[in-house]
């Protein structure tokens, strides 16, 4: 397990470096992947990028719980590239383990194409939509030094989680 760094740590605002070919299949990359997954679960998150544990590599872990309509087990993507599959976007609530206690409405593409590598360097390609696409886009942003606050159209929705649970979340149901 690793410490999740918070907003203000310089690594969160830097573009992460590509994982070089000689690092694929190594113990170091496998350990990073395991640390990402373990830390993500321990922090009750659905995604965690390497910069969030102060590692400047283009790697992130994520999963999609079944109660979000799709059950995606924990997965680690290395050197990912995202492509919007259409221009439609939707605003929805996001939070971040590196910005604890806050939530806000963030626009994201509804569908994205993903091309990445696995821990052995093999290419993986797939499409993601809905919450799955949102999580991937959120984690991908971390690889470019972007946090969800940067994507918000307006800070008017920015809320502490306790107030969001009391007011904003209930007003949507």
């Amino acid at each position: 397990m690793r410490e999740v760094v918070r907003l203000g740590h310089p690594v969160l605002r830097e573009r992460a470096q590509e994982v070089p070919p000689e690092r694929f299949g190594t113990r170091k990359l496998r350990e990073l992947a395991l640390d990402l997954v373990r830390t993500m679960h321990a922090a009750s998150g659905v995604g965690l990028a390497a910069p969030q544990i102060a590692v400047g590599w283009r790697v992130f872990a994520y999963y999609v719980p079944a109660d979000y309509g799709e059950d995606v087990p924990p997965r680690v993507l290395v050197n990912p590239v995202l492509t919007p599959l259409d221009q439609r976007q939707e605003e929805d609530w996001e939070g971040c383990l590196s910005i604890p206690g806050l939530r806000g409405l963030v626009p994201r593409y509804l569908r994205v194409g993903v091309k990445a590598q696995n821990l052995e360097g093999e290419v993986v390609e797939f499409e993601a939509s809905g919450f799955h696409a949102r999580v991937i886009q959120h984690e991908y942003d971390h690889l470019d030094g972007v946090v969800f606050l940067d994507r918000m159209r307006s800070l008017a929705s920015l809320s502490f989680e306790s107030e969001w649970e009391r007011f904003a979340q209930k007003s949507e149901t």
Side-chain angles (χ1 to χ4, degrees), residues 3-4 10 19 27 94 96 105 110 112 121 123 127 170-171:
E3 175 189 0
V4 176
V19 174
R27 187 177 77 198
E94 290 187 21
C96 181
L105 286 172
L110 293 173
V112 293
V123 174
E127 293 181 10
K170 289 181 181 174
S171 69

Side-chain angles (χ1 to χ4, degrees), residues 32-94:
L32 173 62
L34 189 57
D35 286 350
L36 284 168
V37 171
R38 285 180 175 164
T39 304
M40 171 185 70
H41 284 307
S44 300
V46 294
L48 189 66
Q52 291 181 274
I53 59 170
V55 175
W57 278 1
R58 297 186 73 76
V59 180
F60 67 78
Y62 78 97
Y63 81 107
V64 179
D67 53 343
Y68 281 91
E70 188 176 359
D71 186 14
V72 178
R75 176 184 272 173
V76 176
L77 299 179
V78 182
N79 298 335
V81 176
L82 301 188
T83 306
L85 296 178
D86 62 46
Q87 294 305 306
R88 293 180 303 142
Q89 292 188 351
E90 177 180 72
E91 275 192 332
D92 206 349
W93 293 98
E94 290 187 21

Side-chain angles (χ1 to χ4, degrees), residues 15 35 49 61 73 93 107 131 138 141 149 153 155 159 163 172:
R15 186 180 192 283
D35 286 350
W93 293 98
F131 185 74
H138 179 109
D141 273 353
L149 300 172
R153 290 184 179 133
L155 294 179
S159 305
E163 301 304 308
E172 294 179 352

